[in-house]
Amino acid sequence: MEYNKFVPNTNVSESVLFLLRGAKKRRSMAVAKAKMIQGQLGVIPRLAAVK
């Protein structure tokens, strides 16, 4: 069946997936930066990410 060739795997558009990937990357970079700053200050890092 030819029409099944172009059916997407999810109902989320590519632009939304692009934004979610960017948000995930920024969140991980922010957590890494906070851990680095806490390490420089001598604070024991106890970060908990809320998803």
Side-chain angles (χ1 to χ4, degrees):
M1 304 236 161
E2 281 295 315
Y3 65 89
N4 283 339
K5 189 166 33 171
F6 299 106
V7 175
N9 293 331
T10 64
N11 60 352
V12 180
S13 69
E14 288 293 322
S15 59
V16 172
L17 290 174
F18 178 78
L19 290 174
L20 291 175
R21 277 195 305 271
K24 184 177 180 181
K25 182 179 178 181
R26 284 190 301 277
R27 182 174 56 236
S28 66
M29 288 172 56
V31 169
K33 183 79 169 180
K35 285 182 181 179
M36 182 188 72
I37 291 171
Q38 284 184 337
Q40 290 175 350
L41 295 174
V43 177
I44 299 171
R46 290 190 179 136
L47 295 176
V50 178
K51 294 184 179 180

